[in-house]
């Protein structure tokens, strides 16, 4: 099958490589010409040059050409760019496309998940379905063909099943399906917030017990948000919930985790983001979660504390002490 | 309050130290005289001598004296010793005691959790209640007063609340309560099985994506077992479920994880257990889970595969390949 990947970031190129290995024809749209040349001429992932990719993968700076190329479009751009990218595709596409989103985030202004942003912005005549592909997947490990399990979630099961077939192989990628689209989206998004907080704890050298406790109590807050959005609890047990949360919250390879560590050293989050080559979704997600807490009147002590640390200059150690002094309660 | 801790292993002494720091009077029963002397004279945790403990903690090889000392008895012995220890206490105790269990396991012969073993073996006249205290808690971190969150679970909420008060402080220990005793027990037990399997994956160098996927899909199997036992799903979101699972499955400080790594190098599990100074609960739990799968007709592909690796000489890499080739499915 022919598939276009919009976005030549580390994960977009990694996904393109899985698809090419699975014998699909793949074109990457990337506006940066240097990245395109690396893909076309050096056959490498432009974000980590040591990693070779399939020679048949093409890259182009021409969006129209890239969209015309395929009926399946993988959206591999930051969550904040989805609305404008879908707007661009509206003007280009001549027929319905199946969209596969891999971005994770909640739009702070609307509190929409990515699928809600998509349905809010896509032209009906090009809407051929929407699937979110999520799960614990450090790009470098996938590039090295390490075993990775993912979830393809869609309101329409047949679309999820198609994406499952496209990406799965018996060697290192195994894709499960889900029809709880919003649950998969909320899990994948909020985990970036918790991963960032986990990085703060790690930077403060608080240890593994505290980290496990954070993930656990953070998951409780994630579950509250998920219920407010109409997602199912059981989805959070899955790959896009706990699975993704674990890999992001304990790995030094995670951008959000690393950003949290820098926060612990006293750096300002805006400076950390400005210095990062790739988008760090965690801070934007923490803003969204803060808004969600207010809107739905949900108590989110950990996320709210993180908001204060990031945006209201609360000292991280003082923040931890406040959390420890809360009234004892049941789980 | 006066509290006795039965068992001078690393976790028992660590708990005794929390209680002493919280201004309780604590006596440890330990049959090994050398360990008692270390506690009484060197005021150190005999299992890691670098760690000093409160000087007021007493240790004794006299079980009768230790049981008479207190009305709250912390059972800090391996899961396989609970039945015989309760049997001994039956003969000694003159009045009801509140039992706080910290062992984790399922008896292979009966498929009883520890509380079920307790209720099956305790004399009615000394049964003053049963609480299980569980959660992500590496002993060395607790000894260093690192923040640790635990769950106290009991059928009778008032008993859980008492244990919450005994162990909590505002400095580094925060205890939550639960009335889903069996859920807390199953979570705490089965995580040892998954941690061991996680160690095998780590020994095979399969990476962090695979580990997160294992924890996630392993949790699905844990949930099936928990439901068969009448435990609640939501408990597995908690400290004794996911929390404990995470800390044990990613930490080199976990005995079960370390044992799994040794399995990956080709060592036999019986030899690994024989060489270990402290009891490794994982293999016994895998045997129990295997029996549970047969009895309740539950499909447990990961645990069953681990059983074959440990006890039927299945090659670990071949085992992984088999799991990857299973039919694709929904989450």
């Amino acid at each position: 099958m022919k598939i276009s990947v919009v976005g030549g970031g580390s994960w977009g190129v990694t996904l393109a490589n899985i698809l090419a290995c699975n014998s699909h024809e793949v074109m990457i749209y990337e506006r940066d010409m240097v990245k395109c040349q690396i893909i076309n001429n050096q056959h490498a992932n432009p974000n980590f040059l040591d990693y070779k990719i399939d020679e048949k993968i093409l890259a182009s700076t021409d969006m129209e050409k890239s969209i015309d190329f395929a009926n399946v479009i993988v959206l591999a751009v930051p969550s904040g760019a989805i609305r404008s990218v879908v707007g661009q595709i509206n003007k280009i596409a001549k027929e319905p496309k199946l969209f596969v989103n891999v971005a994770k985030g909640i739009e702070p202004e609307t509190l929409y998940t990515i699928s809600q942003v998509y349905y809010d912005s896509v032209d009906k005549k090009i809407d051929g379905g929407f699937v979110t592909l999520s799960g614990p997947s450090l790009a470098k490990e996938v590039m090295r063909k390490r075993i990775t399990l993912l979830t393809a979630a869609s309101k329409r099961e047949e679309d999820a099943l198609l994406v499952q077939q496209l990406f799965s192989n018996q060697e290192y990628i195994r894709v499960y399906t889900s029809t709880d689209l919003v649950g998969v989206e909320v899990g994948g998004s909020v985990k970036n917030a918790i991963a960032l907080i986990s990085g703060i704890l790690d930077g403060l050298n608080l240890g593994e017990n505290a980290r496990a406790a954070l993930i656990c109590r953070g998951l409780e807050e994630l579950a509250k948000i998920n219920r407010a959005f109409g997602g199912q609890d059981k989805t959070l047990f899955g790959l896009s919930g706990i699975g993704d949360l674990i890999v992001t919250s304990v790995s030094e390879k995670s951008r959000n985790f690393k950003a949290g560590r820098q926060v612990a050293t006293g750096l300002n989050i805006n400076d950390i983001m400005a210095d990062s080559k790739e988008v760090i979704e965690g801070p934007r997600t923490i803003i969204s979660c803060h808004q969600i807490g207010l809107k739905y009147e949900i108590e989110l002590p950990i996320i709210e504390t993180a908001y204060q640390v990031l945006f209201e200059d609360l000292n991280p150690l003082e923040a931890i002490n406040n959390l420890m002094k809360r009234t004892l309660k049941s789980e």
Side-chain angles (χ1 to χ4, degrees), chain A:
Chain A
M1 196 173 243
K2 286 183 170 184
I3 302 160
S4 284
V5 176
V6 175
S10 58
W11 189 225
V13 177
T14 302
L15 290 169
N17 197 47
I18 298 173
L19 291 166
C21 291
N22 289 357
S23 304
H24 300 293
E25 292 176 61
V26 186
M27 182 177 290
I28 296 173
Y29 163 73
E30 167 57 49
R31 61 186 173 187
D32 179 339
M33 190 173 300
V34 175
K35 283 192 177 182
C36 286
Q37 285 169 344
I38 293 171
I39 293 168
N40 289 326
N41 304 333
Q42 297 178 38
H43 311 297
N45 189 326
N47 311 281
F48 6 84
L49 293 170
D50 298 348
Y51 292 77
K52 290 291 167 194
I53 61 173
D54 194 292
E55 298 196 357
K56 294 186 296 298
I57 297 173
L58 303 171
S60 170
T61 56
D62 183 341
M63 194 185 224
E64 190 163 346
K65 185 177 155 194
S66 308
I67 299 300
D68 280 348
F69 176 79
N71 290 323
V72 177
I73 310 288
V74 177
L75 297 173
V77 297
S79 68
I82 291 285
R83 191 177 282 278
S84 73
V85 166
V86 172
Q88 287 175 268
I89 298 175
N90 279 335
K91 293 179 200 146
I92 293 172
K94 299 172 189 74
E95 62 212 346
K97 309 281 184 186
L98 174 64
F99 288 87
V100 182
N101 163 60
V102 299
K104 293 165 181 174
I106 296 171
E107 199 172 54
E109 300 79 15
T110 58
L111 303 185
Y112 284 176
T113 64
I114 309 278
S115 70
Q116 290 165 336
V117 170
Y118 167 82
Y119 286 115
D120 190 44
S121 54
V122 73
D123 270 357
K124 279 273 182 304
K125 68 178 196 301
I126 70 153
D127 170 23
F130 182 92
V131 179
T132 277
L133 185 66
S134 187
S137 44
L138 299 167
K140 282 191 183 177
E141 293 202 354
V142 177
M143 286 301 305
R144 290 162 71 203
K145 302 200 174 180
R146 291 282 194 260
I147 288 175
T148 301
L149 273 55
L150 300 167
T151 296
S154 179
K155 291 182 188 175
R156 212 161 58 187
E157 195 181 9
E158 67 215 65
D159 294 338
L161 287 167
L162 175 63
V163 172
Q164 178 182 50
Q165 289 301 330
L166 290 177
F167 284 89
S168 293
N169 54 47
Q170 294 202 341
E171 191 190 350
Y172 66 104
I173 301 287
R174 185 171 164 86
V175 182
Y176 291 76
T177 59
S178 167
T179 51
D180 182 16
L181 176 57
V182 76
V184 164
E185 290 187 296
V186 172
S189 302
V190 179
K191 66 95 194 176
N192 281 329
I194 299 170
L196 192 147
I197 304 168
S198 178
I200 299 179
L201 262 56
D202 196 70
L204 296 173
N205 200 18
L206 292 186
E208 296 176 50
N209 294 351
R211 178 167 70 190
L214 162 76
I215 294 176
C216 208
R217 299 303 303 167
L219 188 68
E220 178 67 26
E221 298 186 17
L222 200 174
K224 287 184 193 176
I225 295 172
N226 190 41
R227 283 176 213 133
F229 274 75
Q232 296 169 28
D233 275 3
K234 96 178 188 35
T235 304
L236 302 185
F237 270 104
L239 295 161
S240 73
I242 289 160
D244 208 355
L245 186 57
I246 290 171
V247 87
T248 326
S249 298
V250 309
S251 178
E252 304 188 5
K253 295 181 193 134
S254 151
R255 294 172 221 165
N256 291 287
F257 182 83
K258 275 192 284 190
R261 272 188 168 176
Q262 292 176 290
V263 170
T265 68
L267 285 178
N268 181 281
I269 190 67
N270 294 315
D271 298 336
I272 297 166
M273 288 199 288
D275 280 352
S276 172
K277 266 200 287 187
E278 294 200 84
V279 174
I280 303 166
E281 296 276 9
R284 187 172 183 262
T285 307
I286 288 175
I287 294 171
S288 295
C289 290
H290 164 74
Q291 299 291 352
I292 291 165
L294 294 174
K295 178 176 173 187
Y296 294 98
E297 297 181 4
I298 315 172
E299 204 186 6
L300 305 169
I302 295 174
I303 286 170
E304 193 52 36
T305 303
Y307 181 85
Q308 291 168 11
V309 169
L310 258 54
F311 304 110
E312 297 177 350
D313 283 332
L314 176 63
N315 176 285
L317 271 179
E318 197 184 326
I320 306 276
N321 284 334
N322 294 348
L323 285 172
M324 282 300 283
K325 284 180 182 146
R326 287 166 50 85
T327 319
L328 293 174
K329 52 188 283 194
S330 65
E331 265 202 305

